[in-house]
Amino acid sequence: DWATVAAQCVTVIHNGAVVNVIAPFQELRAVNVESTREVVKLCCDVRPKALHYISTVSATNNLDPIIDESTPHTKDKLEEMGGYAQSKWVSERLIEEAVSMLGLIAAVHRPGAITGSSQTGFANEEAYTHRLVRGIVEMGFAPDVQAGLEFLPVDWLAECMVAMLRRPPSQECEKFHYVASQDSLIPLSDVVDAIRSYGCHVKSIPYSAWQRRVLDGDKRMALSVLSSYFQGSKFPAGDDNRVSSAKTFSDLPKSLQ
């Protein structure tokens, strides 16, 4: 119960959230933000506890050309962010305020696109990358674009986070980034070729034609819930290419770099 955890626990890892890229902020606030507020209270109750908060690179909205672990929070594009990213942004701010005002020991971990286990392949079927691949298979069509996909195996990511948890605590709210470098992204065309190698017939077509098929297609298809991603004139590449994880990776054990 609360009293036992408050008295005996020394480290709290907060990874609980509703992951929904299309839900508005107000729909996610109770679970994603208020839970963080309660976890902060727990970490400050009875005895000090270190808090490690699992966020997302989507919460980095600064307009700087490169966003590294020391780039400060701003409200630059807050209104343009989706509800999920907004809920993570607000939660990070709550934690930062607790660090500065209450002396909380905390760190924020921001992963990119998390994919399945490198050992079993088991993955979150609701994740963007999984839905994109499944949607391409269902449609039989892929966008003919120059784009790279990020694949961060969940087991590797967990090992990285555990390694950073073991670092000596800091008096500041440290940020850790886990994103793939541009040269390690997997070209979408290579993913499509891999799909074909398993016997699936997939035709590459111009993005505009593929986009119409997604937006006008069967609402039961895997990509239907992500239709808001494909409203623009270009295939969404995201902002991960502005996020640097150089410092985090340099602090990781050699076996994980």
Side-chain angles (χ1 to χ4, degrees):
D1 60 4
W2 179 287
T4 301
V5 173
Q8 298 181 7
C9 185
V10 295
T11 301
V12 174
I13 302 172
H14 180 24
N15 191 31
V18 171
V19 182
N20 188 322
V21 297
I22 62 174
F25 172 77
Q26 291 301 331
E27 188 175 317
L28 301 173
R29 179 174 180 172
V31 174
N32 292 7
V33 177
E34 296 307 318
S35 66
T36 303
R37 193 187 304 276
E38 291 302 305
V39 169
V40 168
K41 290 180 182 178
L42 176 65
C43 288
C44 296
D45 193 16
V46 182
R47 60 182 295 179
K49 305 164 194 65
L51 170 59
H52 289 267
Y53 177 65
I54 313 303
S55 185
T56 170
V57 293
S58 300
T60 58
N61 65 326
N62 193 290
L63 292 177
D64 291 355
I66 298 296
I67 301 173
D68 62 21
E69 295 87 343
S70 63
T71 304
H73 258 129
T74 72
K75 295 182 178 179
D76 289 337
K77 298 194 299 179
L78 189 58
E79 293 185 357
E80 300 175 24
M81 297 164 64
Y84 174 68
Q86 288 176 338
S87 72
K88 290 294 189 176
W89 187 94
V90 173
S91 291
E92 287 193 19
R93 288 294 298 132
L94 284 174
I95 293 169
E96 288 178 341
E97 290 179 0
V99 170
S100 63
M101 298 174 64
L102 303 175
L104 175 70
I105 300 297
V108 172
H109 302 257
R110 296 170 174 160
I114 306 173
T115 51
S117 166
S118 63
Q119 302 300 313
T120 67
F122 185 79
N124 174 14
E125 296 185 2
E126 301 304 314
Y128 170 82
T129 306
H130 192 285
R131 278 191 172 273
L132 177 62
V133 172
R134 198 170 83 200
I136 288 173
V137 172
E138 287 179 339
M139 294 169 61
F141 293 94
D144 186 8
V145 294
Q146 298 295 320
L149 297 181
E150 183 179 44
F151 288 80
L152 299 179
V154 65
D155 49 334
W156 171 83
L157 182 61
E159 287 188 65
C160 289
M161 290 184 176
V162 169
M164 301 312 285
L165 259 70
R166 291 173 174 160
R167 287 163 49 90
S170 169
Q171 296 302 312
E172 299 179 356
C173 184
E174 287 191 295
K175 312 295 192 307
F176 301 117
H177 290 172
Y178 310 90
V179 295
S181 61
Q182 287 298 294
D183 59 1
S184 62
L185 297 178
I186 299 178
L188 178 58
S189 58
D190 287 1
V191 174
V192 173
D193 286 342
I195 293 172
R196 290 173 179 146
S197 72
Y198 282 93
C200 299
H201 178 71
V202 176
K203 181 180 180 181
S204 295
I205 59 178
Y207 175 65
S208 58
W210 184 84
Q211 179 187 47
R212 287 195 298 273
R213 289 179 178 272
V214 172
L215 300 181
D216 300 335
D218 190 330
K219 300 306 179 186
R220 295 171 296 179
M221 301 285 276
L223 284 174
S224 64
V225 299
L226 298 179
S227 59
S228 61
Y229 274 68
F230 307 111
Q231 300 287 341
S233 60
K234 296 182 179 180
F235 185 81
D239 283 338
D240 286 7
N241 61 333
R242 297 192 303 122
V243 179
S244 169
S245 57
K247 183 180 184 304
T248 301
F249 282 8
S250 68
D251 290 337
L252 286 172
K254 295 294 185 183
S255 60
L256 293 172
Q257 293 182 11

